[in-house]
Amino acid sequence: EDGRNKTFKIARIGEVLLRGGEWTSSACHKKSGTDIFRMSGDVPYRVKLRLSFMAKNLLVEEYPLAGKFLSKEGQNWILDTEVFSMNGVGRFVSGLMGEVEIIVGEELKTFLKEYGKKFFQTI
């Protein structure tokens, strides 16, 4: 309806109606990516996180695709991946403060600072 590309989870699609006819707005179509947190977007951002054992386990339980981007570092784990939105990774990190350290990801740090400001202003 609005002429923009959108990505939907298949489980959220209730019905598909075939309209017939040719593709419209094909000049506006572009490929987007989906990250391990199931967020999509056009521009990838690298994040590198140091995770505690608990954070690593929760990550893999909730986001199984993350496993291939993990490596062991002493008692901790390193997640080194690209994300297409700060929403998914930001939700994960903010829920495990003290268990996750951001090694690389200025965009993520900025997102979390703004998220925290908005959250604490509403309390």
Side-chain angles (χ1 to χ4, degrees):
E1 290 178 353
D2 63 8
R4 296 183 318 155
N5 284 10
K6 295 184 182 176
T7 303
F8 297 95
K9 290 181 76 171
I10 292 173
R12 293 181 182 165
I13 298 173
E15 181 179 18
V16 175
L17 299 174
L18 298 178
R19 302 172 89 179
E22 297 294 317
W23 246 20
T24 60
S25 306
S26 60
C28 298
H29 288 241
K30 55 186 173 181
K31 185 177 178 182
S32 63
T34 303
D35 62 37
I36 61 172
F37 296 96
R38 300 181 193 107
M39 296 288 147
S40 61
D42 301 326
V43 179
Y45 299 94
R46 182 172 176 232
V47 294
K48 186 173 182 180
L49 308 175
R50 182 173 288 115
L51 310 172
S52 70
F53 181 71
M54 180 180 75
K56 176 259 186 192
N57 284 342
L58 291 171
L59 176 71
V60 174
E61 285 174 14
E62 192 168 347
Y63 305 104
L65 296 176
K68 65 182 176 181
F69 300 100
L70 286 167
S71 60
K72 188 128 171 64
E73 180 192 71
Q75 299 283 54
N76 297 309
W77 292 82
I78 301 295
L79 173 67
D80 194 347
T81 191
E82 290 183 334
V83 297
F84 290 93
S85 169
M86 294 301 135
N87 290 324
V89 66
R91 178 187 149 270
F92 177 77
V93 172
S94 66
L96 289 166
M97 288 187 194
E99 302 292 326
V100 178
E101 176 190 349
I102 301 169
I103 300 169
V104 173
E106 288 305 313
E107 297 87 358
L108 178 57
K109 289 177 183 179
T110 300
F111 174 86
L112 289 170
K113 287 175 188 173
E114 293 302 314
Y115 179 79
K117 283 180 193 175
K118 287 179 195 173
F119 175 76
F120 288 114
Q121 286 178 349
T122 62
I123 305 181

